[in-house]
Amino acid sequence: MRATVLVRPKSGILDPQGEAVESSLRKLGFNVGQARVGRVVDLDVEAATPGEAHAAVERMCEQLLANPLIESYEIEVHE
Amino acid sequence: MRATVLVRPKSGILDPQGEAVESSLRKLGFNVGQARVGRVVDLDVEAATPGEAHAAVERMCEQLLANPLIESYEIEVHE
């Protein structure tokens, strides 16, 4: 089963990459407000049901994919 | 207007970060297939309509947010 995980810096957490994107976009003439940069992880997961896949990916987020102190995550299971 | 951009390595392009995630997840005991890692960029865009915002973000992708040679992007405009 295919899963997509979005990992984002929590609000209030410093995001230097987002700040760099923001100021570069402004220098290029774009009218943008705040920009935040995170990661997207696409995974193939062995699971019998979407619910089981979701639970497995949640454990992966807690153990490896995200730092729960400073990042939030969002899981989507396809199919 | 709020926009989300997903930037992913094109298939066939080497993704060392994805490979590291994949092998680490396996070492942790997870049964996963291929993993690929990209970026998610959340942006506030000044635009009158969602269509206008989408067009602006597309230009941002071409000029800064993605490397079209090795990355593909997906744009979502919210609201």
Side-chain angles (χ1 to χ4, degrees):
Chain A
M1 221 160 281
R2 199 93 197 123
T4 299
V5 186
L6 300 181
V7 182
R8 295 176 161 112
K10 285 186 180 171
S11 68
I13 296 291
L14 202 67
D15 174 21
Q17 215 185 333
E19 283 170 18
V21 163
E22 205 177 305
S23 79
S24 300
L25 285 173
R26 290 211 187 107
K27 273 178 209 146
L28 287 170
F30 292 108
N31 197 352
V32 293
Q34 203 187 35
R36 307 277 286 172
V37 178
R39 294 187 300 287
V40 51
V41 184
D42 294 301
L43 281 168
D44 281 318
V45 192
E46 285 295 317
T49 64
E52 205 181 277
H54 194 285
V57 176
E58 200 156 339
R59 287 196 304 276
M60 294 177 206
C61 286
E62 275 153 29
Q63 290 181 43
L64 182 84
L65 300 178
N67 177 346
L69 292 176
I70 57 167
E71 293 171 325
S72 64
Y73 57 83
E74 198 183 314
I75 299 168
E76 250 177 78
V77 175
H78 312 287
E79 201 132 328
Chain B
M1 220 160 280
R2 199 92 198 122
T4 298
V5 186
L6 301 180
V7 182
R8 295 175 161 112
K10 285 187 179 170
S11 68
I13 296 290
L14 201 67
D15 174 21
Q17 215 185 335
E19 284 170 16
V21 164
E22 202 177 306
S23 79
S24 300
L25 285 173
R26 290 211 187 108
K27 271 178 209 146
L28 288 170
F30 292 108
N31 197 351
V32 292
Q34 202 188 35
R36 307 277 285 171
V37 178
R39 295 186 300 287
V40 52
V41 184
D42 293 301
L43 281 167
D44 281 317
V45 192
E46 285 295 318
T49 65
E52 205 182 278
H54 195 283
V57 175
E58 202 157 338
R59 286 196 305 276
M60 293 177 206
C61 286
E62 275 152 28
Q63 290 181 43
L64 183 85
L65 300 179
N67 177 347
L69 292 175
I70 57 168
E71 294 172 324
S72 64
Y73 57 83
E74 199 182 313
I75 300 167
E76 251 177 78
V77 175
H78 312 287
E79 201 130 328

Coordinates of all heavy atoms in Angstrom, one line a residue, chain A:
Chain A
M1 N 0.8 -1.2 0.0 CA 0.0 0.0 0.0 C 0.9 1.2 0.0 O 1.9 1.3 0.6 CB -0.9 0.0 1.3 CG -2.3 0.4 1.0 SD -3.4 -0.2 2.3 CE -3.6 -1.9 1.8
R2 N 0.4 2.2 -0.7 CA 1.2 3.5 -0.9 C 0.8 4.5 0.2 O -0.4 4.7 0.4 CB 0.9 4.0 -2.3 CG 1.9 5.0 -2.8 CD 3.0 4.4 -3.7 NE 4.1 5.3 -3.8 CZ 5.3 5.1 -3.5 NH1 5.7 3.9 -3.0 NH2 6.2 6.0 -3.5
A3 N 1.8 5.1 0.9 CA 1.5 6.1 1.9 C 2.3 7.3 1.6 O 3.4 7.2 1.1 CB 1.7 5.5 3.3
T4 N 1.7 8.5 2.0 CA 2.4 9.7 1.9 C 2.4 10.4 3.2 O 1.4 10.5 3.9 CB 1.8 10.7 0.8 OG1 1.8 10.0 -0.4 CG2 2.5 12.0 0.7
V5 N 3.6 10.8 3.7 CA 3.7 11.5 5.0 C 4.2 12.9 4.7 O 5.2 13.1 4.0 CB 4.7 10.7 5.9 CG1 4.7 11.4 7.3 CG2 4.4 9.3 6.0
L6 N 3.5 13.9 5.3 CA 4.0 15.3 5.3 C 4.5 15.6 6.6 O 3.8 15.5 7.6 CB 2.9 16.2 4.9 CG 2.2 15.9 3.5 CD1 1.1 17.0 3.2 CD2 3.3 16.0 2.4
V7 N 5.8 16.0 6.7 CA 6.4 16.4 8.0 C 6.7 17.9 7.9 O 7.4 18.3 7.0 CB 7.7 15.6 8.2 CG1 8.3 16.0 9.6 CG2 7.4 14.1 8.2
R8 N 6.2 18.6 8.9 CA 6.3 20.1 8.8 C 6.9 20.6 10.2 O 6.5 20.0 11.2 CB 5.0 20.8 8.6 CG 4.4 20.4 7.2 CD 3.0 21.1 7.2 NE 2.5 21.2 5.8 CZ 1.5 20.5 5.3 NH1 0.9 19.6 6.1 NH2 1.1 20.7 4.1
P9 N 7.6 21.7 10.1 CA 8.0 22.3 11.4 C 6.8 22.8 12.1 O 5.9 23.5 11.5 CB 9.0 23.4 11.0 CG 8.7 23.7 9.5 CD 8.1 22.4 9.0
K10 N 6.7 22.6 13.4 CA 5.5 23.1 14.2 C 5.6 24.6 14.1 O 6.6 25.2 14.0 CB 5.6 22.6 15.6 CG 5.2 21.2 15.8 CD 5.1 20.8 17.3 CE 4.7 19.3 17.4 NZ 4.8 18.8 18.8
S11 N 4.4 25.3 14.3 CA 4.4 26.7 14.3 C 5.1 27.2 15.5 O 5.0 26.6 16.6 CB 2.9 27.2 14.2 OG 2.3 27.0 15.4
G12 N 5.9 28.3 15.3 CA 6.7 28.8 16.5 C 8.1 28.3 16.4 O 9.0 28.8 17.0
I13 N 8.3 27.2 15.7 CA 9.6 26.6 15.6 C 10.4 27.3 14.4 O 9.8 27.5 13.3 CB 9.6 25.1 15.3 CG1 9.0 24.4 16.5 CG2 10.9 24.5 15.0 CD1 9.8 24.3 17.8
L14 N 11.6 27.7 14.7 CA 12.4 28.4 13.7 C 12.6 27.6 12.4 O 12.8 26.4 12.5 CB 13.8 28.7 14.3 CG 14.5 29.9 13.6 CD1 13.8 31.2 13.8 CD2 16.0 29.9 14.1
D15 N 12.4 28.2 11.3 CA 12.5 27.4 10.0 C 13.4 28.2 9.0 O 12.9 28.9 8.2 CB 11.1 27.2 9.4 CG 11.1 26.5 8.1 OD1 12.2 25.9 7.7 OD2 10.1 26.7 7.3
P16 N 14.7 28.1 9.2 CA 15.6 28.9 8.4 C 15.5 28.6 6.9 O 15.6 29.5 6.1 CB 17.0 28.4 8.8 CG 16.8 27.4 9.8 CD 15.4 27.2 10.1
Q17 N 15.1 27.3 6.5 CA 14.9 27.0 5.1 C 13.7 27.8 4.5 O 13.8 28.3 3.4 CB 14.7 25.5 5.0 CG 15.3 24.9 3.7 CD 15.0 23.4 3.5 OE1 14.8 22.7 4.5 NE2 15.0 23.0 2.3
G18 N 12.7 27.8 5.3 CA 11.5 28.6 4.9 C 11.7 30.1 4.8 O 11.3 30.7 3.9
E19 N 12.5 30.6 5.7 CA 12.9 32.0 5.7 C 13.7 32.3 4.4 O 13.5 33.4 3.8 CB 13.7 32.4 6.9 CG 12.7 32.6 8.1 CD 13.5 32.8 9.4 OE1 14.7 33.1 9.4 OE2 12.9 32.6 10.5
A20 N 14.6 31.4 4.1 CA 15.4 31.6 2.9 C 14.6 31.6 1.6 O 14.7 32.4 0.7 CB 16.5 30.5 2.8
V21 N 13.6 30.6 1.6 CA 12.7 30.6 0.4 C 11.9 31.8 0.3 O 11.7 32.4 -0.8 CB 11.8 29.3 0.6 CG1 10.6 29.4 -0.4 CG2 12.5 28.0 0.3
E22 N 11.4 32.3 1.4 CA 10.5 33.5 1.5 C 11.3 34.7 0.9 O 10.8 35.4 0.1 CB 10.2 33.7 3.0 CG 9.0 34.5 3.3 CD 8.8 34.5 4.8 OE1 8.8 33.5 5.4 OE2 8.7 35.7 5.4
S23 N 12.5 34.9 1.4 CA 13.2 36.1 1.0 C 13.7 36.0 -0.4 O 13.7 37.0 -1.2 CB 14.4 36.4 2.0 OG 15.5 35.6 1.7
S24 N 14.0 34.8 -0.9 CA 14.4 34.6 -2.3 C 13.2 34.8 -3.2 O 13.4 35.5 -4.3 CB 14.9 33.2 -2.5 OG 16.0 32.9 -1.7
L25 N 12.0 34.4 -2.8 CA 10.9 34.6 -3.7 C 10.6 36.1 -3.8 O 10.2 36.6 -4.8 CB 9.6 33.9 -3.1 CG 9.6 32.3 -3.3 CD1 8.4 31.7 -2.6 CD2 9.5 32.0 -4.8
R26 N 10.7 36.8 -2.6 CA 10.5 38.3 -2.7 C 11.5 39.0 -3.6 O 11.1 39.9 -4.4 CB 10.6 38.9 -1.3 CG 9.4 38.4 -0.4 CD 9.0 39.4 0.6 NE 7.9 38.8 1.5 CZ 8.1 38.4 2.7 NH1 9.3 38.6 3.3 NH2 7.2 37.8 3.4
K27 N 12.8 38.5 -3.5 CA 13.8 39.1 -4.4 C 13.5 38.9 -5.9 O 13.8 39.7 -6.7 CB 15.2 38.6 -4.0 CG 15.8 39.3 -2.9 CD 17.2 38.8 -2.6 CE 17.5 39.1 -1.1 NZ 18.3 38.0 -0.5
L28 N 12.8 37.7 -6.1 CA 12.4 37.4 -7.5 C 11.2 38.2 -7.9 O 10.7 38.1 -9.1 CB 12.2 35.9 -7.7 CG 13.4 35.0 -7.7 CD1 13.0 33.6 -7.6 CD2 14.3 35.3 -8.9
G29 N 10.6 39.0 -7.0 CA 9.4 39.8 -7.3 C 8.1 39.2 -7.0 O 7.0 39.7 -7.4
F30 N 8.1 38.1 -6.3 CA 6.8 37.4 -5.9 C 6.3 38.1 -4.7 O 7.0 38.3 -3.7 CB 6.9 35.9 -5.8 CG 7.2 35.2 -7.0 CD1 8.5 34.7 -7.3 CD2 6.2 35.0 -8.0 CE1 8.8 34.0 -8.5 CE2 6.5 34.4 -9.2 CZ 7.8 33.9 -9.4
N31 N 4.9 38.2 -4.6 CA 4.3 38.8 -3.5 C 3.8 37.7 -2.5 O 2.7 37.2 -2.6 CB 3.1 39.6 -4.0 CG 2.6 40.6 -2.9 OD1 3.0 40.5 -1.7 ND2 1.7 41.5 -3.3
V32 N 4.7 37.2 -1.7 CA 4.4 36.1 -0.8 C 4.5 36.5 0.7 O 5.2 37.4 1.1 CB 5.3 34.9 -1.0 CG1 5.1 34.3 -2.4 CG2 6.8 35.3 -0.8
G33 N 3.7 35.8 1.5 CA 3.8 36.0 2.9 C 4.7 34.9 3.4 O 5.6 34.5 2.8
Q34 N 4.4 34.3 4.6 CA 5.2 33.3 5.2 C 5.4 32.1 4.4 O 4.4 31.6 3.8 CB 4.7 32.9 6.6 CG 5.8 32.4 7.5 CD 5.2 31.8 8.8 OE1 4.1 31.3 8.8 NE2 6.0 31.9 9.8
A35 N 6.6 31.5 4.3 CA 6.8 30.2 3.7 C 7.4 29.3 4.7 O 8.3 29.7 5.5 CB 7.8 30.4 2.5
R36 N 7.0 28.0 4.7 CA 7.5 27.0 5.6 C 7.9 25.8 4.8 O 7.2 25.4 3.9 CB 6.5 26.6 6.7 CG 5.9 27.7 7.4 CD 6.7 28.2 8.6 NE 6.7 27.3 9.8 CZ 7.5 27.5 10.8 NH1 8.3 28.5 10.9 NH2 7.4 26.6 11.8
V37 N 9.1 25.2 5.1 CA 9.5 24.1 4.3 C 9.6 22.8 5.2 O 10.1 22.9 6.3 CB 10.9 24.4 3.7 CG1 11.4 23.1 3.0 CG2 10.8 25.6 2.8
G38 N 9.0 21.8 4.7 CA 9.1 20.5 5.4 C 9.5 19.4 4.5 O 10.0 19.6 3.4
R39 N 9.2 18.1 4.9 CA 9.6 17.0 4.0 C 8.3 16.2 3.6 O 7.3 16.2 4.4 CB 10.5 16.0 4.8 CG 11.8 16.6 5.2 CD 12.7 15.5 5.8 NE 12.2 14.9 7.0 CZ 12.1 15.5 8.2 NH1 12.5 16.8 8.3 NH2 11.6 14.9 9.2
V40 N 8.4 15.6 2.4 CA 7.3 14.7 2.0 C 8.0 13.3 1.8 O 9.1 13.2 1.2 CB 6.6 15.1 0.8 CG1 7.5 15.5 -0.4 CG2 5.6 14.1 0.3
V41 N 7.5 12.3 2.5 CA 8.0 10.9 2.3 C 7.0 10.0 1.7 O 5.9 9.9 2.2 CB 8.4 10.4 3.7 CG1 9.1 9.0 3.6 CG2 9.4 11.3 4.5
D42 N 7.3 9.4 0.6 CA 6.4 8.5 -0.1 C 6.9 7.1 0.2 O 8.1 6.8 0.0 CB 6.4 8.7 -1.6 CG 5.7 10.0 -1.9 OD1 4.5 10.2 -1.6 OD2 6.4 10.9 -2.6
L43 N 6.0 6.2 0.6 CA 6.5 4.9 1.1 C 5.6 3.8 0.5 O 4.4 4.0 0.4 CB 6.3 4.8 2.6 CG 7.2 5.4 3.6 CD1 6.6 5.4 5.0 CD2 8.5 4.6 3.6
D44 N 6.1 2.6 0.3 CA 5.3 1.4 0.0 C 5.3 0.6 1.3 O 6.4 0.3 1.9 CB 6.0 0.5 -1.1 CG 5.7 1.1 -2.4 OD1 4.5 1.5 -2.7 OD2 6.6 1.1 -3.3
V45 N 4.1 0.4 1.9 CA 4.0 -0.3 3.1 C 3.3 -1.7 2.9 O 2.3 -1.7 2.2 CB 3.2 0.5 4.1 CG1 3.3 -0.1 5.6 CG2 3.6 1.9 4.1
E46 N 3.8 -2.7 3.5 CA 3.1 -4.0 3.5 C 2.0 -4.0 4.6 O 2.4 -4.0 5.8 CB 4.1 -5.2 3.8 CG 5.0 -5.5 2.6 CD 4.3 -6.1 1.4 OE1 3.4 -6.9 1.6 OE2 4.6 -5.6 0.3
A47 N 0.8 -4.1 4.2 CA -0.3 -4.1 5.2 C -1.6 -4.7 4.6 O -1.8 -4.5 3.3 CB -0.6 -2.7 5.7
A48 N -2.4 -5.3 5.4 CA -3.6 -5.9 4.9 C -4.7 -4.9 4.6 O -5.5 -5.0 3.7 CB -4.1 -7.0 5.8
T49 N -4.8 -3.9 5.5 CA -5.9 -2.9 5.3 C -5.3 -1.5 5.4 O -4.2 -1.3 5.9 CB -6.9 -3.0 6.5 OG1 -6.2 -2.7 7.7 CG2 -7.5 -4.4 6.6
P50 N -6.0 -0.5 4.9 CA -5.5 0.9 5.0 C -5.3 1.3 6.5 O -4.4 2.0 6.8 CB -6.7 1.7 4.3 CG -7.3 0.8 3.4 CD -7.2 -0.6 4.0
G51 N -6.2 0.8 7.3 CA -6.1 1.2 8.8 C -4.8 0.6 9.3 O -4.1 1.3 10.1
E52 N -4.4 -0.6 9.0 CA -3.2 -1.2 9.4 C -2.0 -0.4 8.9 O -1.0 -0.2 9.6 CB -3.1 -2.7 8.9 CG -2.3 -3.6 9.7 CD -2.3 -5.0 9.1 OE1 -3.3 -5.7 9.4 OE2 -1.4 -5.3 8.3
A53 N -2.1 0.0 7.6 CA -1.0 0.7 7.0 C -0.8 2.1 7.7 O 0.3 2.5 8.1 CB -1.3 1.0 5.5
H54 N -1.9 2.7 8.1 CA -1.9 4.0 8.7 C -1.2 3.9 10.1 O -0.4 4.7 10.5 CB -3.3 4.5 8.9 CG -3.4 6.0 9.3 ND1 -3.1 6.4 10.6 CD2 -3.6 7.1 8.6 CE1 -3.2 7.7 10.6 NE2 -3.5 8.2 9.4
A55 N -1.6 2.8 10.8 CA -1.0 2.6 12.2 C 0.5 2.3 12.1 O 1.3 2.8 12.9 CB -1.7 1.4 12.8
A56 N 0.9 1.5 11.0 CA 2.3 1.3 10.9 C 3.1 2.6 10.6 O 4.2 2.8 11.1 CB 2.5 0.2 9.8
V57 N 2.5 3.4 9.7 CA 3.2 4.6 9.3 C 3.3 5.6 10.5 O 4.3 6.3 10.7 CB 2.6 5.3 8.1 CG1 3.2 6.6 7.7 CG2 2.6 4.4 6.8
E58 N 2.3 5.6 11.3 CA 2.3 6.4 12.5 C 3.5 6.0 13.4 O 4.2 6.8 14.0 CB 1.0 6.3 13.3 CG 0.7 7.4 14.2 CD -0.7 7.7 14.5 OE1 -1.6 7.2 13.7 OE2 -1.0 8.3 15.5
R59 N 3.7 4.7 13.6 CA 4.8 4.2 14.4 C 6.1 4.6 13.7 O 7.1 5.0 14.4 CB 4.8 2.7 14.6 CG 3.7 2.2 15.5 CD 3.9 0.8 16.0 NE 4.0 -0.2 14.9 CZ 3.0 -0.7 14.2 NH1 1.7 -0.5 14.6 NH2 3.2 -1.6 13.2
M60 N 6.2 4.6 12.4 CA 7.4 5.0 11.7 C 7.7 6.5 11.9 O 8.9 6.9 12.1 CB 7.3 4.8 10.2 CG 7.2 3.3 9.8 SD 6.9 3.2 8.0 CE 6.1 1.6 7.9
C61 N 6.6 7.3 12.0 CA 6.8 8.7 12.2 C 7.4 8.9 13.6 O 8.3 9.8 13.8 CB 5.5 9.4 12.1 SG 4.9 9.6 10.4
E62 N 6.8 8.2 14.6 CA 7.3 8.4 16.0 C 8.7 7.9 16.2 O 9.4 8.5 17.0 CB 6.3 7.7 16.9 CG 5.1 8.5 17.2 CD 3.9 7.7 17.6 OE1 4.0 6.6 18.1 OE2 2.8 8.2 17.4
Q63 N 9.1 6.9 15.4 CA 10.4 6.3 15.6 C 11.5 6.9 14.7 O 12.7 6.9 15.1 CB 10.4 4.8 15.5 CG 9.6 4.1 16.6 CD 9.6 2.6 16.4 OE1 10.6 2.0 16.0 NE2 8.4 2.0 16.6
L64 N 11.1 7.4 13.6 CA 12.2 7.8 12.6 C 11.9 9.1 11.8 O 12.7 9.9 11.6 CB 12.5 6.7 11.7 CG 13.7 6.9 10.7 CD1 15.0 6.7 11.3 CD2 13.5 6.1 9.4
L65 N 10.6 9.1 11.2 CA 10.4 10.1 10.2 C 10.2 11.5 10.6 O 10.5 12.4 9.9 CB 9.2 9.7 9.3 CG 9.3 8.3 8.6 CD1 8.0 8.0 7.9 CD2 10.4 8.2 7.7
A66 N 9.8 11.7 11.9 CA 9.5 13.0 12.4 C 10.1 13.2 13.8 O 10.3 12.2 14.5 CB 8.0 13.3 12.4
N67 N 10.5 14.4 14.1 CA 10.9 14.7 15.5 C 9.7 15.3 16.2 O 9.4 16.5 15.9 CB 12.1 15.6 15.5 CG 12.5 16.1 16.8 OD1 11.8 15.9 17.8 ND2 13.7 16.6 17.0
P68 N 9.0 14.6 17.0 CA 7.7 15.1 17.6 C 7.9 16.3 18.4 O 6.9 17.0 18.7 CB 7.2 13.9 18.4 CG 8.4 13.0 18.6 CD 9.3 13.2 17.5
L69 N 9.1 16.7 18.9 CA 9.3 17.9 19.7 C 9.1 19.1 18.8 O 8.6 20.1 19.3 CB 10.7 17.9 20.3 CG 11.0 16.9 21.4 CD1 12.4 16.9 21.8 CD2 10.1 17.1 22.6
I70 N 9.6 19.0 17.6 CA 9.6 20.3 16.7 C 8.8 20.1 15.4 O 8.7 21.1 14.7 CB 11.0 20.7 16.4 CG1 11.8 19.6 15.7 CG2 11.7 21.1 17.7 CD1 13.1 20.1 15.1
E71 N 8.3 18.9 15.1 CA 7.7 18.7 13.8 C 6.3 18.0 14.0 O 6.1 17.2 14.9 CB 8.5 17.8 12.9 CG 9.8 18.4 12.5 CD 10.8 17.5 11.8 OE1 10.8 16.3 12.2 OE2 11.5 17.9 10.9
S72 N 5.4 18.4 13.2 CA 4.1 17.7 13.1 C 4.0 16.8 11.9 O 4.7 17.1 10.9 CB 2.9 18.7 13.2 OG 3.0 19.4 12.0
Y73 N 3.2 15.8 11.9 CA 3.1 15.0 10.6 C 1.7 14.7 10.3 O 0.8 14.7 11.1 CB 3.9 13.7 10.8 CG 3.6 12.8 11.9 CD1 2.5 11.9 11.9 CD2 4.3 12.9 13.1 CE1 2.2 11.1 12.9 CE2 4.0 12.1 14.2 CZ 2.9 11.2 14.1 OH 2.6 10.4 15.2
E74 N 1.5 14.4 9.0 CA 0.2 14.1 8.4 C 0.3 12.9 7.5 O 1.2 12.9 6.7 CB -0.2 15.4 7.6 CG -1.6 15.6 7.2 CD -1.8 16.8 6.3 OE1 -1.1 17.9 6.6 OE2 -2.4 16.7 5.3
I75 N -0.5 11.9 7.7 CA -0.4 10.6 7.0 C -1.6 10.5 6.1 O -2.7 10.6 6.5 CB -0.3 9.4 8.0 CG1 0.9 9.6 8.9 CG2 -0.2 8.1 7.2 CD1 0.9 8.6 10.1
E76 N -1.3 10.1 4.8 CA -2.3 9.8 3.9 C -2.0 8.4 3.3 O -0.9 8.1 2.8 CB -2.2 10.7 2.7 CG -3.4 11.7 2.5 CD -3.1 12.6 1.4 OE1 -3.3 12.2 0.2 OE2 -2.6 13.7 1.6
V77 N -3.0 7.5 3.4 CA -2.8 6.1 2.8 C -3.6 6.1 1.5 O -4.8 6.4 1.5 CB -3.2 5.0 3.8 CG1 -3.1 3.7 3.1 CG2 -2.3 5.1 5.0
H78 N -3.0 5.7 0.4 CA -3.7 5.7 -0.9 C -4.2 4.3 -1.1 O -3.5 3.3 -1.0 CB -2.8 6.1 -2.0 CG -2.1 7.4 -1.7 ND1 -2.7 8.6 -1.7 CD2 -0.8 7.6 -1.3 CE1 -1.8 9.5 -1.3 NE2 -0.6 8.9 -1.1
E79 N -5.5 4.2 -1.6 CA -6.1 2.9 -2.1 C -6.7 2.1 -0.9 O -5.9 1.7 0.0 CB -5.0 2.1 -2.8 CG -5.6 1.0 -3.7 CD -4.9 1.1 -5.0 OE1 -4.5 2.2 -5.4 OE2 -4.7 0.0 -5.7

